[in-house]
Amino acid sequence: MTVIDHTIVGGPALAQERRLVTPIPGPRSQEFLVRKAAAVAAGVSHTVPIEAVAAGGGVVVDADGNSLIDLGSGIAVTSVGNAHPAVVAAVQDAVAQMTHTCFMISPYESYVAVAEKLNRLTPGDHVKKSALFNSGAEAVENAVKIARRYTGRPAVVAFDHAYHGRTNLTMALTAKSMPYKSGFGPFASEVYRAPASYPFRDGLTGPEAAAKTISLIEKQIGAENLAAVLIEPIQGEGGFIVPADGFLPAIVEWCRANGVVFIADEVQTGFARTGAMFASELFGIVPDLITTAKGIAGGMPLAAVTGRAEIMDATHAGGLGGTYGGNPVACAAAVAAIDAFENEGMLEHAQRIGQLLRTRLEALQSSDPRIGEVRGHGAMVAIEFVDPETKAPDAALTSAIAKTAIAAGVIVLTCGTYGNVIRFLPPLTIGDDLLAEGLDVVAAALAELT
Ligand code: PLZ
């Protein structure tokens, strides 16, 4: 295993430190945000009020020279580190060769190389094929298209707390109305919502939760009408919800028995994030199709659907594609990033980060009953804030903690159907000291906000 020099690997040689030289936002960032507000649509909001100018290792640097600890990775994207040197070099080489040919017009090698890697790395030893796209939402849309074509059935099941994207079909698949769907309907049809497993709130075992889900599917939809069941193995935007043991295997088994395509959306959980290459492995399941994006290309836009060859090949020639899907520069980045996932100890980093996060957050929980639960796997861990008496979600406290931490130079993200979850998704290249300091800041925010 390579030993990481955090000042070099996983980003430009930025000092790996939290450094505040102005309040956040500083004067340059303030000026920039005025420009942003005037030029960019109001719907495109931001969490951290800075103008970002560089990032690497475990920090993001702003235009005023502040260096913030990054516990969000641009929403689980820069897992191998922002501007990882090998990714940067691969992008520079590729972009000087050709910027685009369109893979559907003149195909090239890097696309095929990414497909081969995905076919090899995703769970299951069956014969697999892949198709590449630009974003997680586009991958999910295509997985549904493929499942419908393969089964000849229309219906799709998605779950409570699900997040799958912002396009029309994926808005229908996403559970939460505000901010993702409200006012943007009508939504795509033949999407049905089923209860998921949320042990902290439903109190059900995995088999009990699965029985409830399966009963709903059988009574309200009917297996004979169902093309696919789509689920995030650990629900991301919905609150880092880890299903109870046995829930996912029972759903997969039911899908197999009923000719329903089981799609794992691993856009957020994929590529070493959870301490396994794919979260499906943690639950012992082998999906028929798996969607990936985010971490796959070290920050370049790329996404994929990978799965059983007979399902992937069910679509007629010309049925899948897009102008930019599998762009050669993004594919070159993915080849380099996947190499880093495999050969730079990223799984071990995720596991070690997970240990550090859990130990610290569980210690916090033991002295603070407002932390209802600490949950997650690897470098995908969250805390859910509640009223200690009633377990009611405490979104106000959650957002106050995030704001306080950001003002103190630590980027933390919130999530959850009820907006009461703080999630930790550091780059896997973050140093232990920096991570510990980031958690100190969160703990201080929590202590301050009584
Ligand atoms: N599936 C599981 O987590 C993206 C959304 C950020 P795109 N999650 C971050 C936001 O508010 O827009 C996501 C995901 C899962 C699909 C997607 C969609 O991926 O690349 O954002 O389209």
Side-chain angles (χ1 to χ4, degrees), residues 96-427:
Q97 288 299 316
M98 57 190 190
T99 50
H100 170 84
T101 62
C102 187
F103 191 76
M104 303 185 304
I105 307 299
S106 310
Y108 38 87
E109 194 270 342
S110 55
Y111 185 119
V112 177
V114 173
E116 288 168 348
K117 285 176 192 295
L118 286 164
N119 298 343
R120 172 169 58 80
L121 285 172
T122 48
D125 48 19
H126 49 280
V127 181
K128 286 172 241 162
K129 290 201 174 178
S130 291
L132 304 185
F133 304 98
N134 300 293
S135 68
E138 210 189 335
V140 171
E141 293 246 357
N142 278 280
V144 170
K145 278 167 67 173
I146 293 164
R148 283 178 169 156
R149 189 74 169 86
Y150 174 72
T151 57
R153 303 170 181 174
V156 181
V157 162
F159 288 83
D160 289 337
H161 314 290
Y163 184 90
H164 298 291
R166 293 175 180 269
T167 59
N168 187 262
L169 175 58
T170 59
M171 277 194 293
L173 295 163
T174 291
K176 192 174 176 177
S177 174
M178 200 58 162
Y180 306 123
K181 305 167 70 166
S182 189
F184 298 144
F187 303 113
S189 62
E190 288 301 325
V191 171
Y192 299 87
R193 194 158 311 283
S197 168
Y198 193 164
F200 179 64
R201 295 205 170 269
D202 67 21
L204 300 177
T205 66
E208 286 166 355
K212 204 171 148 190
T213 300
I214 290 166
S215 161
L216 180 144
I217 294 174
E218 289 178 339
K219 297 291 172 295
Q220 298 188 21
I221 307 160
E224 67 279 16
N225 303 306
L226 186 58
V229 168
L230 167 69
I231 192 163
E232 303 152 81
I234 297 173
Q235 293 182 308
E237 303 302 308
F240 280 29
I241 304 165
V242 182
D245 284 345
F247 175 75
L248 289 172
I251 301 292
V252 172
E253 195 185 320
W254 181 87
C255 285
R256 292 274 134 82
N258 289 279
V260 174
V261 176
F262 179 88
I263 307 171
D265 181 349
E266 294 236 24
V267 165
Q268 190 154 164
T269 52
F271 289 103
R273 176 52 53 190
T274 63
M277 197 57 89
F278 294 97
S280 293
E281 298 164 35
L282 300 171
F283 304 99
I285 58 166
V286 175
D288 297 312
L289 299 181
I290 170 166
T291 53
T292 53
K294 292 195 184 280
I296 188 173
M300 296 295 287
L302 189 71
V305 182
T306 301
R308 295 183 189 280
E310 69 269 24
I311 302 178
M312 293 298 293
D313 281 341
T315 308
H316 49 274
L320 303 175
T323 305
Y324 293 116
N327 167 273
V329 180
C331 284
V335 169
I338 294 171
D339 187 59
F341 281 119
E342 288 199 275
N343 301 315
E344 290 179 14
M346 292 300 163
L347 292 173
E348 291 81 1
H349 291 321
Q351 290 158 11
R352 192 189 72 252
I353 288 168
Q355 280 295 326
L356 292 169
L357 284 169
R358 289 204 79 105
T359 306
R360 186 69 200 276
L361 296 172
E362 278 163 12
L364 267 184
Q365 181 190 25
S366 66
S367 62
D368 194 330
R370 295 172 298 174
I371 300 181
E373 191 175 44
V374 179
R375 58 177 177 250
H377 282 276
M380 181 173 185
V381 172
I383 43 184
E384 173 160 355
F385 290 100
V386 297
D387 178 310
E389 250 90 81
T390 63
K391 247 168 98 169
D394 194 341
L397 174 65
T398 306
S399 107
I401 291 167
K403 284 204 172 70
T404 307
I406 288 168
V410 179
I411 299 177
V412 291
L413 309 178
T414 62
C415 65
T417 297
Y418 314 111
N420 67 325
V421 176
I422 286 191
R423 53 174 154 174
F424 299 93
L425 291 162

